[in-house]
Amino acid sequence: MEADIRLARIDDRLIHGQVATAWSKQTGVNRIIVVSDEAANDSLRSFLLREAAPPGIKVNVIDTEKMIRLYFSELLIGEKLMLLFTNPRDVLRLVEAGVGLQTVNIGGMRYIVGKRMITNFISVDTEDIRCFRILAQRGITLEVRKVPSDRKLDLIELLDKDDAKSSLQ
């Protein structure tokens, strides 16, 4: 038996209003695990993320290595999990270690210098694109949706359209 991962989501805001309400209700999770080396090593950020949890939902903020160990232990059996990530690199690290994910939801990756916008809420750089393409090659569905009621968009189709548009310029 393995962990019941109901949602794996990349959103660099991590726990915020939409996650706390819409996604937790939609997925029926009882635990949110923030998988981020950066957040796990920042005690104030970890505290604030745990405080942002909706009532009745436990929150853990851990690094990628600990998540891999937990996944293969029996500690998560019986838990209904939402995994939150800030970037596709951490998702890929888990998948390459054998963590079973079928779908990854991409909810928000903010623009910073060096990234290009592919939607009004998702910006990527070459490393993000490399990781997303490897995840897709491994058969993982990459869906773009901010909230559960949004129409699902295929991230790879968006990347391909953006590549085609870029090559014309």
Side-chain angles (χ1 to χ4, degrees):
M1 228 171 124
E2 55 185 43
D4 181 4
I5 300 171
R6 304 263 175 115
L7 177 68
R9 177 178 168 88
I10 297 171
D11 187 333
D12 56 21
R13 296 168 297 169
L14 297 170
I15 300 174
H16 56 88
Q18 292 169 340
V19 168
T21 54
W23 285 108
S24 59
K25 285 179 185 166
Q26 169 82 16
T27 57
V29 298
N30 65 348
R31 182 178 299 272
I32 296 171
I33 300 179
V34 173
V35 183
S36 165
D37 296 348
E38 190 181 300
N41 291 316
D42 181 337
S43 57
L44 177 60
R45 190 170 180 198
S46 293
F47 171 78
L48 293 172
L49 287 166
R50 287 192 302 274
E51 291 298 305
I57 296 182
K58 299 175 219 101
V59 173
N60 300 94
V61 181
I62 61 176
D63 61 37
T64 51
E65 290 305 313
K66 185 169 186 179
M67 183 61 218
I68 292 165
R69 287 192 312 274
L70 274 175
Y71 180 80
F72 292 107
S73 75
E74 295 186 3
L75 293 172
L76 297 177
I77 293 173
E79 298 283 343
K80 298 174 185 89
L81 304 173
M82 178 188 306
L83 303 183
L84 294 178
F85 302 87
T86 59
N87 63 73
R89 188 174 43 261
D90 291 344
V91 176
L92 183 58
R93 281 178 65 193
L94 265 62
V95 168
E96 287 177 338
V99 173
L101 298 177
Q102 280 75 48
T103 302
V104 175
N105 167 266
I106 298 90
M109 296 173 65
R110 76 175 143 279
Y111 176 80
I112 56 173
V113 175
K115 291 195 174 204
R116 67 180 203 246
M117 296 185 72
I118 56 167
T119 74
N120 62 350
F121 57 94
I122 296 174
S123 298
V124 294
D125 60 22
T126 53
E127 176 64 7
D128 296 330
I129 293 167
R130 183 188 74 80
C131 293
F132 281 133
R133 293 207 181 271
I134 293 169
L135 289 166
Q137 288 165 1
R138 289 175 170 252
I140 295 170
T141 301
L142 302 170
E143 60 154 56
V144 174
R145 280 195 296 168
K146 271 187 171 177
V147 293
S149 59
D150 286 350
R151 187 171 59 92
K152 293 179 188 180
L153 300 174
D154 181 282
L155 179 71
I156 298 302
E157 288 178 14
L158 293 174
L159 290 174
D160 290 345
K161 282 180 191 169
D162 190 67
D163 285 346
K165 186 173 70 175
S166 296
S167 67
L168 293 174
Q169 295 175 346

